[in-house]
Amino acid sequence: MNLFDKFQPLADARRSIEQQSSDFFNIVMEEIISATEAVVNGRRMILAGSNNYLGLSFDTDCIEAACEATRQAGTGTTGSRMANGTFSGHVALEKELAEFFGCRNTIVFSTGYIANLAMLSTLVGADEVILLDADCHASIYDGCRLGSAEIIRFRHNDVNDLEKRLKRLAKRNTNVLVVVEGLYSMLGDRAPLADIAAVKRKYGAYLLVDEAHSLGILGENGRGLAEEAGVEDETDFIVGTFSKSLGAIGGFCVSNHRQLDLVRYASRPYVFTASSSPGVIASTRRALNILQTRPELRRRLWNNADMLYQKLQDLGFSLGPEPSPVVAVRQEDKEAALAIWNDLLQRGVYVNLVLPPATPDGGALLRCSMSAAHTSEQMEKICDAFASVRTA
Ligand SMILES: Cc1ncc(COP(=O)(O)O)c(C=O)c1O
Protein backbone atom coordinates (compact mmCIF):
# COMPACT_ATOMS: atom_id res chain seq x y z
CA MET A 1 0.00 0.00 0.00
CA ASN A 2 1.54 3.23 -1.22
CA LEU A 3 0.79 6.79 -0.07
CA PHE A 4 -0.36 7.66 -3.58
CA ASP A 5 -2.65 4.65 -4.12
CA LYS A 6 -5.69 6.64 -3.12
CA PHE A 7 -5.10 8.92 -6.11
CA GLN A 8 -5.56 6.05 -8.58
CA PRO A 9 -9.08 7.17 -9.63
CA LEU A 10 -7.61 10.61 -10.37
CA ALA A 11 -4.75 9.10 -12.34
CA ASP A 12 -7.25 7.03 -14.36
CA ALA A 13 -9.41 10.07 -15.06
CA ARG A 14 -6.35 12.06 -16.12
CA ARG A 15 -5.21 9.31 -18.48
CA SER A 16 -8.61 9.13 -20.13
CA ILE A 17 -8.73 12.93 -20.61
CA GLU A 18 -5.16 12.98 -21.94
CA GLN A 19 -6.10 10.41 -24.56
CA GLN A 20 -8.60 12.96 -25.92
CA SER A 21 -6.51 16.11 -25.41
CA SER A 22 -2.86 16.26 -24.50
CA ASP A 23 -3.26 19.99 -23.81
CA PHE A 24 -5.77 19.92 -20.96
CA PHE A 25 -3.30 19.34 -18.11
CA ASN A 26 -0.45 21.17 -19.79
CA ILE A 27 -1.68 24.65 -20.57
CA VAL A 28 1.30 26.99 -20.27
CA MET A 29 0.98 30.70 -21.04
CA GLU A 30 4.39 30.91 -22.68
CA GLU A 31 4.22 34.55 -23.70
CA ILE A 32 1.63 37.01 -22.44
CA ILE A 33 1.02 39.46 -25.25
CA SER A 34 -1.78 41.54 -23.71
CA ALA A 35 -4.76 41.21 -21.37
CA THR A 36 -6.53 39.25 -24.10
CA GLU A 37 -3.79 37.42 -26.02
CA ALA A 38 -1.05 34.95 -25.22
CA VAL A 39 1.09 32.27 -26.81
CA VAL A 40 -0.23 29.05 -25.32
CA ASN A 41 1.58 25.78 -26.01
CA GLY A 42 3.22 27.33 -29.07
CA ARG A 43 0.01 28.83 -30.51
CA ARG A 44 -1.15 32.46 -30.45
CA MET A 45 -4.47 32.49 -28.67
CA ILE A 46 -7.29 34.91 -27.80
CA LEU A 47 -7.91 34.59 -24.08
CA ALA A 48 -11.66 34.22 -23.56
CA GLY A 49 -11.44 32.62 -20.11
CA SER A 50 -9.14 34.71 -17.95
CA ASN A 51 -11.47 36.63 -15.52
CA ASN A 52 -9.62 39.77 -16.60
CA TYR A 53 -12.95 41.61 -16.71
CA LEU A 54 -11.66 45.17 -17.05
CA GLY A 55 -8.43 44.18 -18.80
CA LEU A 56 -6.34 45.96 -16.16
CA SER A 57 -3.51 43.41 -15.85
CA PHE A 58 -1.80 45.26 -18.73
CA ASP A 59 -2.79 48.81 -17.85
CA THR A 60 0.35 50.95 -18.18
CA ASP A 61 -0.42 53.00 -15.05
CA CYS A 62 -0.92 49.84 -12.98
CA ILE A 63 2.33 48.36 -14.31
CA GLU A 64 4.21 51.59 -13.60
CA ALA A 65 2.78 51.78 -10.06
CA ALA A 66 3.89 48.17 -9.41
CA CYS A 67 7.42 48.83 -10.74
CA GLU A 68 7.81 52.04 -8.75
CA ALA A 69 6.62 50.43 -5.49
CA THR A 70 8.93 47.45 -6.07
CA ARG A 71 11.90 49.76 -6.55
CA GLN A 72 10.97 51.69 -3.42
CA ALA A 73 9.92 48.91 -1.05
CA GLY A 74 11.27 45.67 -2.50
CA THR A 75 9.85 42.54 -4.04
CA GLY A 76 8.17 41.12 -0.94
CA THR A 77 7.19 42.00 2.63
CA THR A 78 8.74 38.80 4.07
CA GLY A 79 6.23 38.77 6.88
CA SER A 80 2.67 38.54 8.13
CA ARG A 81 0.38 41.56 8.48
CA MET A 82 0.60 40.97 12.26
CA ALA A 83 4.38 41.14 12.38
CA ASN A 84 6.60 43.01 9.91
CA GLY A 85 4.27 42.73 6.88
CA THR A 86 2.02 45.78 7.22
CA PHE A 87 3.51 48.45 4.97
CA SER A 88 2.02 51.89 4.41
CA GLY A 89 0.57 50.64 1.08
CA HIS A 90 -1.60 48.04 2.87
CA VAL A 91 -2.98 50.68 5.21
CA ALA A 92 -3.62 53.10 2.34
CA LEU A 93 -5.41 50.41 0.30
CA GLU A 94 -7.63 49.54 3.29
CA LYS A 95 -8.56 53.21 3.64
CA GLU A 96 -9.28 53.55 -0.09
CA LEU A 97 -11.46 50.44 -0.11
CA ALA A 98 -13.41 51.73 2.91
CA GLU A 99 -13.97 55.05 1.11
CA PHE A 100 -15.01 53.32 -2.11
CA PHE A 101 -17.57 51.14 -0.32
CA GLY A 102 -18.59 53.85 2.14
CA CYS A 103 -17.83 51.43 4.98
CA ARG A 104 -16.16 51.91 8.32
CA ASN A 105 -13.73 49.02 8.21
CA THR A 106 -11.66 46.99 5.79
CA ILE A 107 -9.17 44.17 6.07
CA VAL A 108 -6.87 43.34 3.16
CA PHE A 109 -5.81 39.69 2.86
CA SER A 110 -3.19 37.99 0.69
CA THR A 111 -5.77 36.38 -1.65
CA GLY A 112 -9.54 36.16 -2.03
CA TYR A 113 -9.31 32.50 -1.02
CA ILE A 114 -7.60 33.53 2.22
CA ALA A 115 -10.21 36.28 2.79
CA ASN A 116 -12.95 33.63 2.76
CA LEU A 117 -10.93 31.21 4.89
CA ALA A 118 -10.30 33.98 7.41
CA MET A 119 -13.80 35.41 7.59
CA LEU A 120 -15.76 32.17 7.67
CA SER A 121 -13.51 30.29 10.04
CA THR A 122 -13.29 33.18 12.50
CA LEU A 123 -16.56 35.11 12.48
CA VAL A 124 -18.86 32.21 13.21
CA GLY A 125 -18.00 29.94 16.11
CA ALA A 126 -19.17 26.72 17.73
CA ASP A 127 -22.93 26.74 18.47
CA GLU A 128 -23.43 29.28 15.69
CA VAL A 129 -24.56 28.57 12.13
CA ILE A 130 -23.42 29.34 8.57
CA LEU A 131 -26.25 29.05 6.06
CA LEU A 132 -24.70 28.98 2.62
CA ASP A 133 -25.95 28.79 -0.94
CA ALA A 134 -25.15 25.30 -2.22
CA ASP A 135 -23.29 26.68 -5.28
CA CYS A 136 -20.83 28.75 -3.24
CA HIS A 137 -17.16 28.74 -4.24
CA ALA A 138 -14.69 26.21 -2.81
CA SER A 139 -12.98 28.92 -0.74
CA ILE A 140 -16.26 29.47 1.14
CA TYR A 141 -16.64 25.76 1.79
CA ASP A 142 -13.01 25.53 2.89
CA GLY A 143 -13.46 28.50 5.24
CA CYS A 144 -16.41 26.68 6.80
CA ARG A 145 -14.33 23.52 7.23
CA LEU A 146 -11.54 25.42 8.93
CA GLY A 147 -13.93 26.81 11.53
CA SER A 148 -16.23 25.17 14.03
CA ALA A 149 -19.67 26.54 13.11
CA GLU A 150 -22.53 24.29 12.07
CA ILE A 151 -22.84 24.39 8.27
CA ILE A 152 -26.22 24.19 6.54
CA ARG A 153 -26.72 24.57 2.79
CA PHE A 154 -29.80 25.97 1.08
CA ARG A 155 -30.76 25.34 -2.55
CA HIS A 156 -29.02 27.63 -5.03
CA ASN A 157 -30.79 31.03 -5.29
CA ASP A 158 -33.89 29.59 -3.58
CA VAL A 159 -35.13 32.23 -1.12
CA ASN A 160 -38.03 30.04 0.06
CA ASP A 161 -35.62 27.29 1.03
CA LEU A 162 -33.43 29.86 2.81
CA GLU A 163 -36.43 31.23 4.71
CA LYS A 164 -37.59 27.74 5.71
CA ARG A 165 -34.20 27.07 7.27
CA LEU A 166 -33.98 30.48 8.95
CA LYS A 167 -37.41 29.92 10.47
CA ARG A 168 -36.32 26.59 11.92
CA LEU A 169 -33.11 28.10 13.28
CA ALA A 170 -34.98 31.00 14.91
CA LYS A 171 -36.09 28.58 17.66
CA ARG A 172 -32.45 27.99 18.61
CA ASN A 173 -31.73 31.64 19.35
CA THR A 174 -28.22 31.54 17.88
CA ASN A 175 -26.20 33.71 15.51
CA VAL A 176 -26.68 32.82 11.83
CA LEU A 177 -24.52 34.08 8.95
CA VAL A 178 -26.07 33.77 5.47
CA VAL A 179 -23.40 33.47 2.76
CA VAL A 180 -23.97 34.03 -0.96
CA GLU A 181 -22.05 35.21 -4.01
CA GLY A 182 -22.91 38.29 -6.07
CA LEU A 183 -22.41 36.82 -9.53
CA TYR A 184 -21.87 33.08 -9.33
CA SER A 185 -18.52 32.14 -10.79
CA MET A 186 -19.55 29.14 -12.87
CA LEU A 187 -22.89 30.12 -14.49
CA GLY A 188 -22.64 33.91 -14.13
CA ASP A 189 -26.09 34.21 -12.52
CA ARG A 190 -26.92 36.84 -9.88
CA ALA A 191 -28.13 36.04 -6.36
CA PRO A 192 -31.68 37.37 -5.67
CA LEU A 193 -30.05 39.68 -3.15
CA ALA A 194 -32.92 42.07 -2.35
CA ASP A 195 -35.09 39.09 -1.33
CA ILE A 196 -32.23 37.44 0.56
CA ALA A 197 -31.57 40.68 2.46
CA ALA A 198 -35.27 40.93 3.32
CA VAL A 199 -35.43 37.44 4.86
CA LYS A 200 -32.15 37.84 6.70
CA ARG A 201 -33.57 41.06 8.22
CA LYS A 202 -36.82 39.32 9.14
CA TYR A 203 -34.97 36.62 11.09
CA GLY A 204 -32.19 38.81 12.52
CA ALA A 205 -29.38 36.96 10.69
CA TYR A 206 -26.15 38.41 9.28
CA LEU A 207 -25.31 38.51 5.56
CA LEU A 208 -21.95 38.05 3.81
CA VAL A 209 -21.74 38.52 0.04
CA ASP A 210 -18.70 37.37 -1.95
CA GLU A 211 -18.45 39.90 -4.80
CA ALA A 212 -15.40 38.23 -6.43
CA HIS A 213 -17.05 38.24 -9.88
CA SER A 214 -19.16 41.37 -9.44
CA LEU A 215 -16.71 44.00 -8.16
CA GLY A 216 -16.18 46.48 -11.01
CA ILE A 217 -18.93 44.75 -12.98
CA LEU A 218 -22.27 45.40 -11.27
CA GLY A 219 -23.74 48.54 -9.72
CA GLU A 220 -23.69 52.11 -10.98
CA ASN A 221 -20.31 52.67 -9.36
CA GLY A 222 -19.00 49.13 -9.79
CA ARG A 223 -19.34 48.20 -6.11
CA GLY A 224 -21.09 44.95 -6.98
CA LEU A 225 -24.47 43.28 -6.63
CA ALA A 226 -25.20 44.77 -3.18
CA GLU A 227 -25.00 48.21 -4.82
CA GLU A 228 -27.05 47.15 -7.84
CA ALA A 229 -29.76 45.59 -5.64
CA GLY A 230 -29.79 48.58 -3.26
CA VAL A 231 -28.94 46.51 -0.17
CA GLU A 232 -25.49 47.73 0.80
CA ASP A 233 -26.76 48.92 4.21
CA GLU A 234 -28.11 45.46 4.94
CA THR A 235 -25.05 43.58 3.79
CA ASP A 236 -22.96 43.03 6.90
CA PHE A 237 -19.81 41.85 5.13
CA ILE A 238 -18.60 42.14 1.55
CA VAL A 239 -15.71 39.90 0.56
CA GLY A 240 -13.86 40.33 -2.71
CA THR A 241 -10.72 39.65 -4.67
CA PHE A 242 -8.14 41.73 -6.50
CA SER A 243 -7.42 38.84 -8.88
CA LYS A 244 -10.23 39.47 -11.36
CA SER A 245 -11.47 42.97 -12.28
CA LEU A 246 -8.45 44.59 -10.61
CA GLY A 247 -5.96 42.43 -12.52
CA ALA A 248 -3.69 41.71 -9.53
CA ILE A 249 -3.87 39.32 -6.57
CA GLY A 250 -5.25 39.70 -3.05
CA GLY A 251 -8.53 39.82 -1.17
CA PHE A 252 -10.52 41.96 1.23
CA CYS A 253 -13.49 42.24 3.52
CA VAL A 254 -15.37 45.50 4.14
CA SER A 255 -17.98 46.03 6.82
CA ASN A 256 -19.75 48.67 8.82
CA HIS A 257 -19.40 46.56 11.96
CA ARG A 258 -16.96 48.43 14.20
CA GLN A 259 -15.50 45.21 15.58
CA LEU A 260 -14.37 43.84 12.19
CA ASP A 261 -10.84 44.78 13.19
CA LEU A 262 -10.88 42.06 15.88
CA VAL A 263 -10.90 39.41 13.14
CA ARG A 264 -7.25 40.31 12.50
CA TYR A 265 -6.24 38.94 15.90
CA ALA A 266 -8.42 35.84 15.84
CA SER A 267 -7.88 34.71 12.28
CA ARG A 268 -5.15 32.20 11.48
CA PRO A 269 -5.28 32.81 7.69
CA TYR A 270 -4.55 36.49 8.42
CA VAL A 271 -1.86 35.92 11.03
CA PHE A 272 0.03 32.98 9.60
CA THR A 273 0.80 33.99 6.03
CA ALA A 274 2.91 36.69 4.44
CA SER A 275 1.21 39.88 3.28
CA SER A 276 0.97 40.94 -0.37
CA SER A 277 4.05 42.43 -1.98
CA PRO A 278 4.39 46.22 -2.39
CA GLY A 279 4.10 45.95 -6.18
CA VAL A 280 0.81 44.04 -5.98
CA ILE A 281 -0.63 46.51 -3.49
CA ALA A 282 0.42 49.49 -5.61
CA SER A 283 -1.10 48.11 -8.84
CA THR A 284 -4.31 47.21 -6.96
CA ARG A 285 -4.61 50.76 -5.60
CA ARG A 286 -4.18 52.14 -9.11
CA ALA A 287 -6.71 49.67 -10.54
CA LEU A 288 -9.24 50.58 -7.85
CA ASN A 289 -8.86 54.20 -8.88
CA ILE A 290 -9.33 53.32 -12.57
CA LEU A 291 -12.43 51.28 -11.72
CA GLN A 292 -13.93 54.45 -10.24
CA THR A 293 -12.80 56.95 -12.86
CA ARG A 294 -13.30 54.99 -16.10
CA PRO A 295 -16.90 53.69 -16.13
CA GLU A 296 -16.58 53.20 -19.90
CA LEU A 297 -14.60 50.01 -19.14
CA ARG A 298 -17.67 48.55 -17.46
CA ARG A 299 -19.84 49.54 -20.43
CA ARG A 300 -17.39 47.97 -22.88
CA LEU A 301 -17.29 44.79 -20.82
CA TRP A 302 -21.09 44.52 -20.83
CA ASN A 303 -21.27 45.19 -24.58
CA ASN A 304 -18.91 42.29 -25.17
CA ALA A 305 -20.70 40.06 -22.65
CA ASP A 306 -24.14 40.74 -24.13
CA MET A 307 -22.84 40.18 -27.64
CA LEU A 308 -21.30 36.80 -26.87
CA TYR A 309 -24.34 35.62 -24.91
CA GLN A 310 -26.68 36.62 -27.76
CA LYS A 311 -24.48 35.07 -30.44
CA LEU A 312 -24.09 31.75 -28.60
CA GLN A 313 -27.80 31.66 -27.86
CA ASP A 314 -28.52 32.22 -31.59
CA LEU A 315 -26.16 29.36 -32.39
CA GLY A 316 -28.29 27.12 -30.19
CA PHE A 317 -25.89 26.55 -27.30
CA SER A 318 -27.36 25.93 -23.87
CA LEU A 319 -26.15 28.77 -21.63
CA GLY A 320 -26.29 30.01 -18.04
CA PRO A 321 -29.59 31.64 -17.01
CA GLU A 322 -28.78 35.29 -17.79
CA PRO A 323 -26.32 37.39 -19.81
CA SER A 324 -23.24 38.29 -17.78
CA PRO A 325 -19.47 38.59 -18.25
CA VAL A 326 -19.30 34.89 -17.34
CA VAL A 327 -20.82 33.08 -20.34
CA ALA A 328 -21.13 29.39 -19.52
CA VAL A 329 -21.83 26.91 -22.30
CA ARG A 330 -23.39 23.81 -20.77
CA GLN A 331 -22.49 20.33 -22.02
CA GLU A 332 -24.10 17.23 -20.57
CA ASP A 333 -21.32 14.99 -21.64
CA LYS A 334 -17.71 15.45 -20.52
CA GLU A 335 -16.24 13.94 -23.71
CA ALA A 336 -18.23 16.30 -25.97
CA ALA A 337 -17.13 19.28 -23.85
CA LEU A 338 -13.50 18.24 -24.10
CA ALA A 339 -13.77 17.82 -27.88
CA ILE A 340 -15.26 21.32 -28.30
CA TRP A 341 -12.67 22.83 -25.94
CA ASN A 342 -9.89 21.21 -27.94
CA ASP A 343 -11.39 22.37 -31.21
CA LEU A 344 -11.65 25.98 -29.92
CA LEU A 345 -8.00 25.76 -28.89
CA GLN A 346 -6.99 24.64 -32.40
CA ARG A 347 -8.92 27.65 -33.71
CA GLY A 348 -6.96 30.02 -31.44
CA VAL A 349 -9.51 30.61 -28.67
CA TYR A 350 -8.84 29.69 -25.05
CA VAL A 351 -11.82 29.19 -22.70
CA ASN A 352 -11.99 27.39 -19.36
CA LEU A 353 -13.11 23.77 -19.46
CA VAL A 354 -14.77 22.98 -16.13
CA LEU A 355 -15.49 19.36 -15.33
CA PRO A 356 -17.45 17.76 -12.48
CA PRO A 357 -17.23 17.95 -9.48
CA ALA A 358 -16.32 21.63 -9.98
CA THR A 359 -19.58 22.32 -11.87
CA PRO A 360 -22.89 23.12 -10.15
CA ASP A 361 -25.09 20.40 -11.66
CA GLY A 362 -22.69 17.61 -12.51
CA GLY A 363 -22.41 18.51 -16.22
CA ALA A 364 -19.39 20.03 -17.96
CA LEU A 365 -18.97 23.70 -18.82
CA LEU A 366 -17.09 25.68 -21.41
CA ARG A 367 -16.74 28.78 -19.29
CA CYS A 368 -15.99 32.02 -21.13
CA SER A 369 -15.23 35.25 -19.31
CA MET A 370 -15.36 38.48 -21.25
CA SER A 371 -13.10 41.50 -20.91
CA ALA A 372 -13.45 45.20 -21.62
CA ALA A 373 -10.14 44.75 -23.45
CA HIS A 374 -11.53 42.35 -26.08
CA THR A 375 -11.55 44.24 -29.39
CA SER A 376 -14.43 43.89 -31.84
CA GLU A 377 -12.12 41.88 -34.08
CA GLN A 378 -11.34 39.48 -31.22
CA MET A 379 -15.04 39.21 -30.35
CA GLU A 380 -15.76 38.29 -33.94
CA LYS A 381 -13.05 35.61 -33.90
CA ILE A 382 -14.42 34.15 -30.66
CA CYS A 383 -17.96 34.05 -32.10
CA ASP A 384 -16.70 32.58 -35.40
CA ALA A 385 -14.80 29.85 -33.55
CA PHE A 386 -17.96 28.86 -31.65
CA ALA A 387 -19.94 28.90 -34.90
CA SER A 388 -17.37 26.58 -36.49
CA VAL A 389 -17.36 24.08 -33.61
CA ARG A 390 -21.17 24.10 -33.65
CA THR A 391 -21.22 22.97 -37.27
CA ALA A 392 -18.11 20.74 -37.09
C1 LIG B 1 -16.47 33.39 -5.71
C2 LIG B 1 -15.00 33.38 -5.49
N1 LIG B 1 -14.52 33.70 -4.27
C3 LIG B 1 -13.21 33.70 -4.01
C4 LIG B 1 -12.28 33.36 -4.97
C5 LIG B 1 -10.82 33.32 -4.64
O1 LIG B 1 -10.17 34.44 -5.13
P1 LIG B 1 -8.59 34.50 -5.29
O2 LIG B 1 -8.28 34.11 -6.68
O3 LIG B 1 -8.26 35.93 -5.01
O4 LIG B 1 -7.98 33.59 -4.29
C6 LIG B 1 -12.72 33.03 -6.25
C7 LIG B 1 -11.75 32.67 -7.29
O5 LIG B 1 -11.99 32.11 -8.29
C8 LIG B 1 -14.11 33.03 -6.52
O6 LIG B 1 -14.58 32.69 -7.72
Side-chain angles (χ1 to χ4, degrees):
M1 180 79 174
N2 171 310
L3 196 56
F4 294 95
D5 283 352
K6 58 183 164 295
F7 299 125
Q8 198 52 48
L10 275 181
D12 295 342
R14 184 172 73 175
R15 196 170 321 108
S16 116
I17 290 173
E18 274 172 346
Q19 276 162 4
Q20 244 192 297
S21 167
S22 56
D23 282 318
F24 185 68
F25 294 106
N26 298 301
I27 288 289
V28 179
M29 305 274 159
E30 287 153 352
E31 188 192 340
I32 317 299
I33 297 161
S34 71
T36 53
E37 266 189 291
V39 176
V40 182
N41 298 4
R43 282 192 301 268
R44 197 174 168 120
M45 207 68 69
I46 297 172
L47 302 174
S50 62
N51 304 306
N52 204 342
Y53 298 118
L54 300 182
L56 292 182
S57 65
F58 262 79
D59 180 88
T60 46
D61 287 350
C62 291
I63 291 174
E64 209 33 63
C67 293
E68 181 55 25
T70 307
R71 272 190 292 271
Q72 276 185 9
T75 51
T77 65
T78 65
S80 147
R81 292 292 309 271
M82 286 300 283
N84 57 304
T86 293
F87 287 18
S88 56
H90 299 89
V91 179
L93 177 55
E94 284 176 345
K95 186 163 168 280
E96 287 156 10
L97 279 164
E99 281 164 8
F100 174 55
F101 280 98
C103 275
R104 274 196 204 110
N105 283 303
T106 313
I107 305 178
V108 161
F109 298 94
S110 301
T111 67
Y113 180 86
I114 286 179
N116 274 332
L117 285 195
M119 293 307 298
L120 296 166
S121 66
T122 312
L123 263 185
V124 195
D127 302 327
E128 297 176 319
V129 179
I130 296 177
L131 246 178
L132 78 163
D133 184 289
D135 281 6
C136 276
H137 188 256
S139 57
I140 292 172
Y141 276 93
D142 289 357
C144 292
R145 286 167 69 173
L146 190 63
S148 47
E150 182 181 346
I151 312 302
I152 302 174
R153 295 189 303 171
F154 63 93
R155 276 198 299 274
H156 176 56
N157 276 354
D158 186 336
V159 182
N160 291 333
D161 192 34
L162 170 64
E163 177 157 20
K164 193 176 77 189
R165 289 164 198 279
L166 279 168
K167 203 173 189 172
R168 253 185 240 150
L169 285 166
K171 297 189 192 106
R172 283 176 38 188
N173 194 24
T174 183
N175 287 318
V176 179
L177 178 71
V178 176
V179 182
V180 299
E181 292 179 27
L183 267 185
Y184 280 85
S185 58
M186 285 297 132
L187 295 179
D189 50 336
R190 289 169 170 83
L193 204 56
D195 294 340
I196 289 172
V199 292
K200 86 101 196 182
R201 188 180 344 117
K202 182 171 169 190
Y203 293 94
Y206 294 84
L207 174 62
L208 182 150
V209 182
D210 181 341
E211 302 266 23
H213 294 269
S214 27
L215 170 71
I217 291 160
L218 296 179
E220 202 183 329
N221 300 288
R223 292 198 295 267
L225 183 62
E227 182 191 12
E228 185 186 83
V231 295
E232 284 174 295
D233 286 347
E234 317 211 26
T235 304
D236 298 274
F237 307 96
I238 289 178
V239 167
T241 174
F242 307 145
S243 73
K244 304 188 193 303
S245 57
L246 299 179
I249 184 163
F252 68 91
C253 175
V254 294
S255 174
N256 266 325
H257 289 280
R258 280 184 203 289
Q259 304 94 326
L260 177 74
D261 214 41
L262 297 173
V263 168
R264 294 182 202 267
Y265 312 106
S267 159
R268 296 171 71 85
Y270 180 81
V271 175
F272 293 105
T273 194
S275 62
S276 310
S277 67
V280 160
I281 293 292
S283 80
T284 303
R285 290 179 64 195
R286 192 73 197 103
L288 184 63
N289 179 269
I290 293 171
L291 187 159
Q292 294 169 75
T293 51
R294 293 184 57 199
E296 72 274 14
L297 291 178
R298 205 149 46 250
R299 282 195 292 276
R300 226 181 284 158
L301 167 68
W302 274 100
N303 282 342
N304 287 341
D306 287 338
M307 176 188 170
L308 185 68
Y309 191 90
Q310 188 60 52
K311 178 73 185 178
L312 297 190
Q313 201 166 48
D314 293 347
L315 286 168
F317 285 105
S318 163
L319 305 178
E322 56 179 305
S324 97
V326 175
V327 183
V329 180
R330 296 169 187 269
Q331 296 287 314
E332 272 172 32
D333 153 9
K334 193 170 80 187
E335 282 70 32
L338 192 53
I340 296 179
W341 178 81
N342 214 17
D343 202 348
L344 288 170
L345 214 57
Q346 307 309 317
R347 293 171 196 276
V349 174
Y350 173 83
V351 304
N352 302 124
L353 172 61
V354 193
L355 300 175
T359 48
D361 47 14
L365 291 178
L366 296 155
R367 179 185 177 276
C368 311
S369 45
M370 290 296 93
S371 173
H374 282 124
T375 62
S376 34
E377 198 192 0
Q378 289 173 332
M379 289 304 300
E380 227 168 88
K381 283 192 180 152
I382 296 167
C383 293
D384 286 351
F386 270 101
S388 306
V389 300
R390 186 78 185 154
T391 49

